[in-house]
């Protein structure tokens, strides 16, 4: 969820970007009918073609405890329950965040809860991201995976809400887009290497 924020690290902490009506893909991303927070001031969407089988891309992205091995922005990731992801699954991950004009350098601890999941198709989770001097009250992250000739189109969209980040959206925006873009690039590299 907060992953772009740290793209300079984040994967574990997502990023933000102000959300003009056309900022995300033409049609909003959803998983089982649910998307990001439509009222969020900060949101961003991106997509990437990955030359790997759907099963591989899904396994890499949903293998949460493996995130630190392929995402430099994620310093730790731990499932809080066993088995495949399902509604109610929880995981905790961390990502360092550089100092900004409105917050000190810190490590965000993100506790995410899965709300919707459809194997090999989509996943949606949300949760807070909390660090020393920085707090994102709620990040909502949606991922979709569409098989196409030669690979998979991975789309993602994330929203952030919270008084602190909404007070300085220009700074937040500087981290969101590059963070999610970096997450997608790292996913592409990891999934293609796993083939």
């Amino acid at each position: 969820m907060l992953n772009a924020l740290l793209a300079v690290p984040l994967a574990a902490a997502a990023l933000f970007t102000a959300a003009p009506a056309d900022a995300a893909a033409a049609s909003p991303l959803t998983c089982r009918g649910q998307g990001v927070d439509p009222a969020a001031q900060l949101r961003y969407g991106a997509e990437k073609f990955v030359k790997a089988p759907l099963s591989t891309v899904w396994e890499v992205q949903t293998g949460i405890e493996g995130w630190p091995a392929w995402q430099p922005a994620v310093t730790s990731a731990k499932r809080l329950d066993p088995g495949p992801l399902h509604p109610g699954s929880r995981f905790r991950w961390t990502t360092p965040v550089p100092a900004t004009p409105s917050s000190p350098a810190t490590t965000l601890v993100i506790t995410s809860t899965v709300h919707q999941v459809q194997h090999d198709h989509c996943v949606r989770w949300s949760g807070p991201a909390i660090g020393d001097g920085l707090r994102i009250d709620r990040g909502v992250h949606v991922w979709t995976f569409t098989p196409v000739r030669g690979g998979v189109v991975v789309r993602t969209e994330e929203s952030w809400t919270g008084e602190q980040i909404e007070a300085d959206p220009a700074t937040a925006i500087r981290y969101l887009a590059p963070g999610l873009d970096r997450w997608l690039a790292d996913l592409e590299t990891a999934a293609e290497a796993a083939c």
Side-chain angles (χ1 to χ4, degrees):
M1 102 170 224
L2 303 157
N3 168 24
L5 201 123
L6 316 172
V8 186
L10 177 232
L15 311 175
F16 339 100
T17 190
D22 62 342
S27 59
L29 284 188
T30 63
C31 184
R32 297 196 175 264
Q34 298 296 310
V36 299
D37 183 343
Q41 179 182 0
L42 301 168
R43 63 181 184 268
Y44 179 74
E47 70 177 52
K48 177 158 281 295
F49 172 74
V50 180
K51 291 184 243 177
L54 176 59
S55 60
T56 301
V57 177
W58 177 262
E59 183 178 314
V60 171
Q61 176 62 23
T62 62
I64 291 156
E65 291 185 326
W67 285 359
W70 58 269
Q71 288 189 80
V74 176
T75 53
S76 71
K78 177 180 171 112
R79 284 288 305 273
L80 302 178
D81 49 53
L85 289 182
H86 57 83
S89 290
R90 296 178 62 233
F91 54 97
R92 184 167 294 123
W93 47 303
T94 59
T95 186
V97 180
T100 72
S102 57
S103 64
T106 188
T107 295
L108 286 175
V109 177
I110 303 124
T111 303
S112 299
T113 301
V114 173
H115 299 286
Q116 287 80 27
V117 63
Q118 184 175 354
H119 186 77
D120 282 348
H121 181 68
C122 65
V123 62
R124 177 180 174 269
W125 66 71
S126 73
I130 302 167
D132 293 334
L134 178 60
R135 178 183 177 95
I136 298 165
D137 293 342
R138 185 167 188 250
V140 180
H141 207 152
V142 178
W143 292 85
T144 65
F145 306 84
T146 305
V148 295
R149 176 179 284 185
V152 178
V153 173
V154 180
R155 293 178 66 201
T156 186
E157 188 173 8
E158 185 167 4
S159 63
W160 282 6
T161 55
E163 186 176 323
Q164 183 180 10
I165 59 168
E166 291 166 1
D168 187 4
T171 296
I173 289 168
R174 254 182 292 182
Y175 291 96
L176 181 54
L180 282 183
D181 292 342
R182 177 81 261 152
W183 191 330
L184 283 169
D186 290 343
L187 175 60
E188 174 188 31
T189 299
E192 291 180 358
C195 294

